[in-house]
Amino acid sequence: MKFFSQTMRAAAKIHHLMFLLQKNADTLLTTELSLSFMQALILKIVSHHPNMSQKDLAMCTKFTAGGVSRQVELLREKGLLTRKERKDNRREHILSITVKGKQEMEKAFTLLDTNLKTVFSVLNTKESTQ
């Protein structure tokens, strides 16, 4: 494929790399923990922002409201998140991570960190910095 500029070529390569890294992370987490990469990200965000609303989570992640809702429900069914109605607005749901959710999130990001170190070990120091 021919690009108009070096910048477009670099952007295409970065996009492809992001896709491969996300696919790799998703496969690893699904195989090892029965958790998707999106679910791990949701757990991480909610752990750092207790009592976050689903609406704010969707805005923060740039995922659709429906996508967030489906993932939150799956995480709730696994006992990793809790969801409560806000008292002043019953249509808004507040999320909290459970102890089990925090443990699974820590396992997920430890696995991802180990995996990424292996993936990037083929790069020299200059390449890693770039």
Side-chain angles (χ1 to χ4, degrees), residues 5-126:
S5 67
Q6 182 93 9
T7 306
M8 288 298 294
R9 194 171 17 266
K13 287 183 178 186
I14 290 169
H15 177 73
H16 183 70
L17 177 62
M18 287 173 43
F19 171 78
L20 291 175
L21 288 172
Q22 185 172 350
K23 184 178 177 184
N24 178 276
D26 214 33
T27 301
L28 175 68
L29 293 178
T30 302
T31 303
E32 296 292 323
L33 300 174
S34 298
L35 199 66
S36 72
F37 183 59
M38 182 178 180
Q39 291 170 347
L41 287 175
I42 288 171
L43 290 173
K44 186 74 158 177
I45 292 166
V46 173
S47 75
H48 287 287
H49 302 282
N51 300 315
M52 178 177 245
S53 73
Q54 276 188 222
K55 181 180 176 182
D56 290 340
L57 181 60
M59 287 179 9
C60 174
T61 59
K62 306 287 191 236
F63 300 141
T64 65
V68 167
S69 182
R70 280 188 296 281
Q71 297 306 315
V72 164
E73 184 58 26
L74 291 170
L75 290 166
R76 195 186 64 72
E77 288 172 1
K78 292 177 182 182
L80 306 178
L81 279 183
T82 60
R83 181 182 63 203
K84 297 178 185 171
E85 288 180 354
R86 179 170 270 177
K87 291 178 183 177
D88 58 336
N89 182 355
R90 296 182 63 210
R91 293 186 306 173
E92 192 170 30
H93 295 106
I94 302 302
L95 306 172
S96 297
I97 192 167
T98 64
V99 172
K100 182 180 175 184
K102 198 166 212 128
Q103 291 168 344
E104 290 298 299
M105 178 208 60
E106 288 170 1
K107 286 181 201 173
F109 282 91
T110 299
L111 270 171
L112 289 171
D113 187 50
T114 301
N115 182 259
L116 286 174
K117 284 178 183 171
T118 303
V119 168
F120 288 111
S121 68
V122 299
L123 302 176
N124 63 37
T125 306
K126 183 179 176 185

